[in-house]
Amino acid sequence: MPRGQKSKHRAREKRRETHGQRQSLPGPQSTVEKQKEPRSSTISSPDYRGAHPKSSDASVPQASQGTSPAASLDAGVSCSKSDVAAKGGDEESAHASQRAMYFKSLGQDPIDKKSWELVQFLQEKFEKKESILKADMLKLVSRRYKEHFPEILKETSEHLVVAFGVELKEIDSSGESYTLVSKLGLPSEGILSGHNGLAKSGILMSALGLIFVKGNRATEEEVWDFLTLLGISSRMTHPLYGNPKKILTEDLVQAKYLEYQQVRNSDPPRYEFLWGPRAHFETSKMRALNVFATFNNTVPGFYPHLYEEALIDEVQKALRLNF
């Protein structure tokens, strides 16, 4: 090939390569989508995807690709009980301060930050048994973000489900007042009414889901392994949940939401968790499965063996009520 034609050929090839590179570069839309990904992962749910849809004896859930609200906190914020005591001061106020730091650490952009501020606001309102009013939420959001309020409220609702197992619901059609309702159908006078009710509800939701997936009993090690994936350790106080070990092994057991017993014939002794009588009475396997499926962006029928067991549980409950 003559030298001039070779030069033209090389120039054409170079233009093709450059054009191909431009096509492979992310455009504005894909860039926005990538920027949004961390926001959605911030509210990722407890991940039950280790539960095989065709097996009722599911394996331990795997860690989510995203980060759960419990796990997204910087490790330096959590501290042991002895650390809190060493700093002096009241443990409750220390926990409140720790929780405030936790919420400040969340959120990837202004909208997300506002939604987490709203979660903190709603948690405090609920614990103080104060009315939840739209007007108060708008004040917190501020005039600057008022036009984004529907989006902020939607994200806040998602955070509440994942962190505490509750959803934000309008009390009446006016949309001026709200309440928090358990996704598991737990009555407001039950676990939610006591001290640290939302934290207990969140840990209970995770524990009941895991126990159901594991064949209606889960060893203590399995439960803590799962909670650790969510950033909840038995050795640490947590800004959102306080003392998880006390909640799991004392509060929820004493309230009969969970049973805590020695594994039969275990030597050295090992312990396991089962649903307690109050959990069987106040919620159901179908409700647990619905939450389970929602977290995995699917439907209960995607897990046929679990769904069949949940249906049998529903029928048995109906028969008990009728006789």
Side-chain angles (χ1 to χ4, degrees):
M1 183 182 295
R3 186 180 299 174
Q5 289 184 357
K6 283 184 180 179
S7 299
K8 289 180 182 178
H9 180 72
R10 281 197 297 268
R12 277 198 301 270
E13 288 298 320
K14 193 169 184 179
R15 281 197 299 272
R16 282 197 198 113
E17 287 175 8
T18 304
H19 180 66
Q21 288 170 358
R22 283 176 183 166
Q23 284 185 327
S24 66
L25 289 174
Q29 182 64 33
S30 60
T31 303
V32 170
E33 287 171 359
K34 286 185 179 179
Q35 288 173 345
K36 284 187 177 180
E37 283 175 6
R39 278 178 57 185
S40 62
S41 66
T42 304
I43 57 167
S44 340
S45 60
D47 192 339
Y48 294 100
R49 276 170 281 189
H52 196 285
K54 294 185 179 179
S55 172
S56 58
D57 184 18
S59 59
V60 176
Q62 302 299 308
S64 173
Q65 292 178 349
T67 306
S68 73
S72 60
L73 175 66
D74 184 84
V77 179
S78 291
C79 58
S80 66
K81 287 184 186 177
S82 58
D83 290 337
V84 172
K87 290 176 185 176
D90 180 67
E91 187 176 342
E92 218 171 283
S93 63
H95 180 225
S97 173
Q98 199 180 26
R99 188 164 68 183
M101 290 173 64
Y102 168 80
F103 280 111
K104 283 182 181 178
S105 72
L106 297 172
Q108 304 295 318
D109 58 45
I111 301 297
D112 213 26
K113 283 182 180 294
K114 282 294 176 184
S115 69
W116 279 114
E117 285 179 26
L118 202 50
V119 170
Q120 182 182 12
F121 173 78
L122 294 173
Q123 184 180 11
E124 291 170 357
K125 281 279 188 183
F126 188 82
E127 289 178 351
K128 293 175 183 176
K129 302 186 186 301
E130 296 177 353
S131 300
I132 299 173
L133 303 176
K134 182 179 180 180
D136 292 333
M137 290 192 283
L138 284 168
K139 281 181 188 175
L140 180 74
V141 167
S142 78
R143 187 178 301 173
R144 182 179 177 185
Y145 295 101
K146 186 175 179 180
E147 63 179 295
H148 298 288
F149 182 70
E151 182 186 354
I152 293 170
L153 196 64
K154 181 178 181 293
E155 289 201 12
T156 299
S157 299
E158 292 171 347
H159 295 331
L160 287 167
V161 171
V162 172
F164 302 123
V166 296
E167 57 183 332
L168 187 65
K169 282 202 166 184
E170 295 178 0
I171 291 179
D172 52 47
S173 57
S174 68
E176 297 301 315
S177 56
Y178 293 78
T179 188
L180 299 181
V181 179
S182 169
K183 286 288 287 182
L184 291 174
L186 303 175
S188 57
E189 66 272 12
I191 189 175
L192 293 173
S193 63
H195 170 68
N196 213 18
L198 287 181
K200 293 174 186 176
S201 171
I203 290 181
L204 178 63
M205 175 183 65
S206 296
L208 291 180
L210 180 68
I211 292 167
F212 180 37
V213 168
K214 294 297 295 180
N216 298 309
R217 59 184 66 233
T219 66
E220 186 171 14
E221 292 88 350
E222 289 170 338
V223 173
W224 282 117
D225 283 347
F226 178 51
L227 291 176
T228 300
L229 291 176
L230 306 181
I232 305 171
S233 170
S234 62
R235 297 182 299 276
M236 299 283 191
T237 58
H238 190 279
L240 208 59
Y241 303 103
N243 185 342
K245 187 170 185 179
K246 181 178 180 297
I247 289 176
L248 188 70
T249 60
E250 294 180 31
D251 298 342
L252 296 177
V253 173
Q254 289 170 6
K256 300 189 183 301
Y257 284 106
L258 295 175
E259 288 185 5
Y260 182 58
Q261 64 185 32
Q262 184 177 338
V263 176
R264 188 179 301 174
N265 300 324
S266 60
D267 185 22
R270 294 168 58 238
Y271 293 86
E272 63 183 0
F273 287 97
L274 293 80
W275 282 36
R278 195 165 180 179
H280 282 291
F281 180 74
E282 291 185 358
T283 188
S284 67
K285 292 177 180 179
M286 187 60 76
R287 282 186 179 273
L289 184 58
N290 278 322
V291 175
F292 173 111
T294 299
F295 283 168
N296 286 282
N297 295 315
T298 184
V299 294
F302 186 71
Y303 306 93
H305 286 75
L306 295 176
Y307 185 64
E308 183 180 356
E309 183 179 342
L311 277 177
I312 292 171
D313 181 60
E314 294 283 294
V315 172
Q316 289 174 342
K317 281 192 173 187
L319 289 173
R320 283 196 296 270
L321 287 174
N322 291 331
F323 291 98

